[in-house]
Amino acid sequence: MTTPALAPDGTERDTGWQPPFSRVDTHVHPRLRVYSAGNFGEVAPERLSPMSWSLVGRPMELGTRRFIGRVLGHPRWTTGSTYVFTGYLGLRPYHNLTAYCHVAEEVVLTEPQDVTEAYFEGVQPPPPSDVERVMGWRKVMVGPRMLTELLRLRTRNARLEQQVFAFEQDVRDAAAAGGLDWRLGEFTARGKRLLEIAWEVHITCTSGAVAAEVVRRKVTDRLVPHADSVAGWLREPAELPWTRLFGLGPMADGPAGFLDKVFYEVADQHLPWAEYAVRPLAKPMEGNGGPAEVSPREALIGMRGALRGRAVDASVLFLGDMMSVREQSKSLAMRLLHVHRTLARELARARGVADADWPYLSMDELSGPAVPDPVEIDRRRESCAEALGLVMPDYLDLRPGASPDAVPRRRPTGVSPGVFEGTAIGVEDMPTEDGVVLVCESADANIMPILPFVGAVVTARGSQYSHVAILCREMGVPAVVSHPLASDIAPGRRVHVNGDTGEVRILD
């Protein structure tokens, strides 16, 4: 790829733009070479410190390999030292879009377009890869294996939540008793394992939601007249963790302490990483917001015949359960990252690493037998400064001969049904009147405190199963994601939002 990039001083570089872009980049996969920021681009800081990448990207990669390996029968292309499903390029986290689309081709009923609709803003899938295909009896077993994995999720997540709570309490108690130093090795090993499990459960739910949506669509298309017109009401998640966690916010040293911190970035108090951190919103507002007691989904199912109603309900609840566990596993991963803020700082102190230096190390390096010397850390700092001067796009097609201008078009999508007109506010604003529309670049669970008090949401980034989409459906708030007007709507403008069709109009 030979597109020019911006140097740190803002001028255009004449040299070719080829990975690696920094000293800490992961290697580009030799055969799966189309990357997308995807869901990372919506919820994570645009750039992550090497330490944070080691706590997010590495365990996510390992968890995805284990899950996909079990489902597909451990094909060779999911192994090796090169990252397969994630990438860290120019200090920006990416998903390997080619790899995920290849998995969709291997699972019965799903297609690459289902993946891009769910998590990659509806872009056109990349060309098929040339890695090996699942054949014979292994192909027959893909569906049953996938179902087995999904049916275990609720139990696995419940067990994980207990382990995370015990881990948080043990670290807190050790710190209060002044005995954290001599247990750092134990806590680091436990935290590493728990993070791998949390990200594995999260990615399994993420993949399972795609399959569950396909099943839901096929069932409702057959049993519900004009199913497309009510599809938004049939993606209603089961109970989500965020309302409960925000309610626990006032509890001292409780499990909701992480909500006041930046998601994904553990070096959020260090420059330059603090400049990319997405800060949490204000505390929850007082008031009576929330979805109706009887949802349109329940009303629709009640109007079907008994047998048809049960079939539709089963497919919808299965999808809702995937969304619920996905959000719960993410909250557990964020809680674990919050604990690692303490562990990384204390490990650095115990190993004689300067406080300004540990963000440039991985957790394995910081806790390993030999910490990189100051010369190597300085080299990384210089390399990271150069990489931060590059404009890393959302979409990277690194195939030989690929056109540098072949950037797929995002498709605006209505993700939570309903129609609303109101005055636009930004993500940093608090609603001061009824009838406002929250307009922002992207959003995560940090908007949960104000969702009951807005009439609609419009974002410039997002997909059908983005976290903001799931939250809006849970709260009954109309929402449109990936809409280009979101970048142009100034606070105070009157806006029309149609969460069914994806239409957004400025009224004045």
Side-chain angles (χ1 to χ4, degrees):
M1 193 169 182
T2 56
T3 53
L6 295 181
D9 61 1
T11 60
E12 193 172 280
R13 285 184 173 176
D14 296 326
T15 57
W17 197 61
Q18 294 287 342
F21 306 106
S22 80
R23 193 176 183 86
V24 293
D25 274 7
T26 57
H27 292 293
V28 174
H29 197 279
R31 299 167 73 183
L32 307 169
R33 300 181 65 86
V34 178
Y35 292 82
S36 172
N39 195 238
F40 276 140
E42 303 163 32
V43 298
E46 185 178 346
R47 305 295 177 92
L48 283 181
S49 67
M51 173 59 73
S52 296
W53 169 254
S54 75
L55 300 171
V56 175
R58 181 187 179 279
M60 185 180 290
E61 172 73 21
L62 293 175
T64 308
R65 288 191 185 200
R66 291 177 183 136
F67 163 61
I68 297 300
R70 291 193 298 268
V71 170
L72 299 187
H74 302 283
R76 284 191 299 273
W77 67 270
T78 63
T79 64
S81 60
T82 301
Y83 279 62
V84 178
F85 296 98
T86 60
Y88 186 52
L89 305 171
L91 307 179
R92 185 169 191 181
Y94 286 94
H95 296 287
N96 191 313
L97 184 56
T98 311
Y100 281 111
C101 287
H102 180 78
V103 172
E105 292 177 333
E106 301 285 27
V107 178
V108 178
L109 299 180
T110 63
E111 300 176 357
Q113 191 70 41
D114 296 320
V115 173
T116 59
E117 289 284 347
Y119 299 114
F120 294 95
E121 303 177 302
V123 303
Q124 187 67 23
S129 65
D130 61 352
V131 298
E132 65 180 298
R133 303 281 170 171
V134 176
M135 305 294 290
W137 69 270
R138 288 197 304 169
K139 183 74 172 180
V140 176
M141 293 302 295
V142 168
R145 284 171 175 162
M146 171 73 84
L147 182 60
T148 299
E149 291 289 326
L150 301 184
L151 292 176
R152 295 172 54 221
L153 281 175
R154 177 66 69 177
T155 302
R156 290 184 68 190
N157 196 71
R159 186 186 309 118
L160 176 64
E161 185 168 18
Q162 295 174 351
Q163 294 171 330
V164 170
F165 182 82
F167 179 60
E168 291 172 321
Q169 192 64 44
D170 288 348
V171 172
R172 191 179 300 118
D173 290 347
L180 188 57
D181 281 6
W182 64 273
R183 298 187 67 183
L184 280 173
E186 171 202 341
F187 289 146
T188 302
R190 280 175 66 185
K192 178 179 179 179
R193 179 58 183 156
L194 288 174
L195 266 177
E196 290 177 4
I197 296 173
W199 286 121
E200 181 178 344
V201 171
H202 184 70
I203 205 68
T204 303
C205 299
T206 299
S207 304
V210 176
E213 166 65 14
V214 173
V215 172
R216 194 279 313 162
R217 188 170 63 235
K218 290 185 177 296
V219 170
T220 55
D221 284 352
R222 186 174 183 84
L223 300 180
V224 179
H226 311 293
D228 286 346
S229 64
V230 296
W233 303 110
L234 300 178
R235 298 190 181 99
E236 192 177 287
E239 181 184 4
L240 299 182
W242 303 108
T243 302
R244 172 170 53 88
L245 286 169
F246 275 109
L248 295 174
M251 183 186 299
D253 296 327
F258 75 101
L259 292 171
D260 290 332
K261 304 297 181 181
V262 172
F263 284 8
Y264 294 93
E265 179 57 73
V266 298
D268 54 301
Q269 300 299 315
H270 295 70
L271 292 174
W273 317 109
E275 296 176 347
Y276 296 92
V278 180
R279 299 292 164 183
L281 294 178
K283 300 289 185 183
M285 299 174 57
E286 296 182 358
N288 297 313
E293 292 184 5
V294 178
S295 73
R297 173 189 72 82
E298 294 168 327
L300 172 68
I301 292 170
M303 290 187 291
R304 301 290 94 201
L307 189 60
R308 289 188 176 190
R310 283 196 294 268
V312 172
D313 202 28
S315 68
V316 171
L317 290 176
F318 183 46
L319 174 59
D321 202 47
M322 289 299 100
M323 290 187 283
S324 175
V325 179
R326 179 172 179 252
E327 294 301 308
Q328 290 169 8
S329 61
K330 177 184 174 176
S331 72
L332 295 176
M334 295 302 109
R335 286 166 63 178
L336 288 167
L337 288 179
H338 182 46
V339 177
H340 279 81
R341 285 187 171 92
T342 299
L343 295 182
R345 183 179 64 250
E346 294 302 314
L347 269 172
R349 183 184 56 78
R351 302 298 301 273
V353 176
D355 186 62
D357 289 348
W358 65 257
Y360 295 92
L361 305 177
S362 70
M363 182 57 77
D364 282 348
E365 290 174 330
L366 190 57
S367 61
V371 177
D373 59 41
V375 174
E376 170 59 22
I377 294 175
D378 285 342
R379 288 172 179 166
R380 292 186 187 185
R381 181 180 284 105
E382 181 180 351
S383 175
C384 288
E386 292 180 357
L388 292 175
L390 301 175
V391 177
M392 298 300 299
D394 294 333
Y395 185 88
L396 283 177
D397 188 344
L398 300 175
R399 294 173 298 154
S403 170
D405 300 320
V407 178
R409 180 178 174 272
R410 300 174 189 162
R411 188 167 63 82
T413 305
V415 295
S416 184
V419 179
F420 189 83
E421 292 183 359
T423 303
I425 64 170
V427 74
E428 301 295 334
D429 303 323
M430 289 293 109
T432 57
E433 61 182 62
D434 292 335
V436 297
V437 177
L438 177 63
V439 181
C440 53
E441 178 70 16
S442 60
D444 200 354
N446 63 344
I447 69 166
M448 191 69 182
I450 65 171
L451 267 187
F453 307 94
V454 301
V457 174
V458 180
T459 68
R461 305 294 309 273
S463 305
Q464 192 65 252
Y465 291 107
S466 298
H467 298 287
V468 64
I470 294 173
L471 293 173
C472 287
R473 287 195 290 269
E474 163 74 3
M475 300 301 295
V477 177
V480 176
V481 299
S482 197
H483 202 288
L485 271 182
S487 301
D488 300 329
I489 299 175
R493 303 294 298 273
R494 293 281 299 174
V495 182
H496 170 90
V497 180
N498 189 323
D500 297 280
T501 65
E503 178 189 15
V504 176
R505 289 186 283 113
I506 300 176
L507 300 177
D508 57 13

